[in-house]
Amino acid sequence: MLQKLLNHKVRILLAMLLVLFLALIRAYEDVLFYDPFLNYFKTDYHNLPLPKVENVPLFFGLLFRYFLNTILSLAIIYVLFKDIEAIKFVSILYLGFFIILVVAFFFVFSYFGEANKMTLFYIRRFLIQPIFLLLFLPAFYFQKQNQ
């Protein structure tokens, strides 16, 4: 009983450490990633034109950040649920979501950017923040409770 309780404490502590790493990614985003939209969306962007963007570095910046968030999110899910099949399933979802979101982001930016700044903002938000983790954790918890 005590060992089981200790194992849960270790899992929770490890999950909290991984969440801290997610916070560090957010804290050092200006240093780690090329993203001219970071400062743009912190200002009164409704009255400003879109920033000049280099598409290839922006793509790789988004890819790198999404990859780091995905790896940490998968690690959190694994630590909390210890389910390899769930990790495989979520990995495929993360890949599919990345493809859909990055295509949508660059399509909206290229063809409708000035008219759809909020759409750009929200698509980019899904790419740079671990929002999917917030969706997957309750889903897997609910699934585990029903088994």
Side-chain angles (χ1 to χ4, degrees), residues 4 6 22-24 35-37 41 43 53 58 80-81 91 94 96-97 105 127-129 140:
K4 187 175 182 181
L6 183 62
L22 287 173
L24 287 173
D35 190 352
F37 291 105
F41 284 122
T43 63
V53 172
L58 178 60
L80 294 178
F81 299 105
S91 297
Y94 269 111
F97 287 145
F105 177 81
L127 284 167
I128 68 169
Q129 301 298 329
F140 285 119

Side-chain angles (χ1 to χ4, degrees), residues 90-123:
V90 172
S91 297
I92 293 169
L93 285 177
Y94 269 111
L95 178 63
F97 287 145
F98 177 76
I99 292 168
I100 291 167
L101 288 169
V102 81
V103 167
F105 177 81
F106 282 105
F107 180 77
V108 170
F109 177 71
S110 297
Y111 296 105
F112 307 105
E114 289 295 332
N116 289 319
K117 291 178 183 179
M118 289 308 294
T119 305
L120 273 177
F121 175 81
Y122 287 116
I123 293 172

